[in-house]
Amino acid sequence: MAIAILTYHLWRENKALRKMSSEAEIVPHFETHPDGTGGLNLCLSNVGPGPAMDVTFSIISGEAEFHRYGVILDHSKRRSAITLVPSGGKFSFLFGIGYQLFNPKDGDAGEPLKPFQVEVAWRTSKDVNIVKKVHTLDVSQFRGLPGMMNMPYALQSALELKAMNQQLAALTKVLAPIVGFVDATKPENQSRQKAKGNPEPKEGGGGQ
């Protein structure tokens, strides 16, 4: 009887160890974007020893504030599940820009996006049951850190190019009426003479 009881307990422990060695654990969290200062990524990291299959995530609270802070992630779209996140792996995507996440469009500067909840779901390679867990994410953990309030270099360059294009467009409108005129001054003229040119001169001759 004692041997039977001991064998049963050993069997249960071995089963639990086998299950633990194949269990996945998906944790959502923030990390800074690797391509420049200011960007904030939302990551789904697998911190468990086993692979995670059919991984999904959804925002279940706090999404009403996203528009005020210019959050880039479109949480309203329905997406297919991520097929696989291996052990130690992660799936990350751009969530928002740091300086915008601390400056609402219609509020006080320095007021961060309020904490919100994310539900993640997945299953292990040997289990058909779906595991679901809810985590709370808070951007205020980056408050006051150097670089988080700066505009990313790529975005800054894009805005500068946009401003230059607008200035060139305005300059083109000012110069457009002038380009159609040619200098018709003769040596005997005491003042400069202008003649309206033909924007599409015919072959073999010039327009006046």
Side-chain angles (χ1 to χ4, degrees):
M1 179 68 69
I3 293 176
I5 294 175
L6 179 60
T7 303
Y8 173 73
H9 283 292
L10 288 175
W11 174 80
R12 286 190 61 184
E13 289 181 3
N14 288 334
K15 183 180 179 181
L17 288 173
R18 286 196 303 269
K19 185 177 181 180
M20 289 179 59
S21 65
S22 63
E23 281 187 343
E25 182 72 23
I26 296 295
V27 177
H29 61 96
F30 286 126
E31 71 173 11
T32 55
H33 197 283
D35 292 340
T37 59
L40 203 61
N41 281 357
L42 178 59
C43 302
L44 305 176
S45 294
N46 183 5
V47 298
M53 315 288 290
D54 299 332
V55 180
T56 60
F57 74 95
S58 58
I59 309 296
I60 61 174
S61 72
E63 69 275 11
E65 294 285 305
F66 282 11
H67 177 70
R68 295 182 60 221
Y69 289 86
V71 172
I72 297 174
L73 171 66
D74 187 355
H75 59 88
S76 62
K77 288 187 176 180
R78 297 181 61 87
R79 300 176 177 87
S80 300
I82 302 167
T83 306
L84 171 69
V85 178
S87 175
K90 66 179 180 181
F91 183 81
S92 61
F93 42 88
L94 185 61
F95 177 78
I97 307 299
Y99 79 94
Q100 293 178 337
L101 297 176
F102 286 85
N103 293 284
K105 298 177 182 179
D106 55 354
D108 298 330
E111 178 188 348
L113 174 69
K114 295 179 181 179
F116 60 95
Q117 290 186 318
V118 180
E119 182 184 77
V120 288
W122 72 92
R123 66 177 181 85
T124 64
S125 58
K126 297 181 179 180
D127 195 353
V128 295
N129 296 324
I130 299 295
V131 180
K132 293 184 178 181
K133 291 191 177 182
V134 176
H135 295 261
T136 300
L137 298 184
D138 189 357
V139 300
S140 64
Q141 61 185 297
F142 299 100
R143 185 198 297 268
L145 294 181
M148 285 306 302
M149 300 302 293
N150 294 338
M151 185 179 296
Y153 300 126
L155 180 59
Q156 187 174 1
S157 299
L159 292 177
E160 290 176 354
L161 287 174
K162 182 179 180 180
M164 290 175 60
N165 288 336
Q166 291 175 346
Q167 292 175 358
L168 289 174
L171 185 60
T172 302
K173 290 181 179 180
V174 174
L175 295 177
I178 307 175
V179 254
F181 291 88
V182 295
D183 190 352
T185 309
K186 297 179 181 180
E188 61 269 20
N189 296 135
Q190 295 183 358
S191 61
R192 187 175 295 277
Q193 304 295 315
K194 294 289 184 180
K196 189 174 182 180
N198 185 359
E200 296 181 357
K202 296 180 181 179
E203 293 185 7
Q208 301 191 38

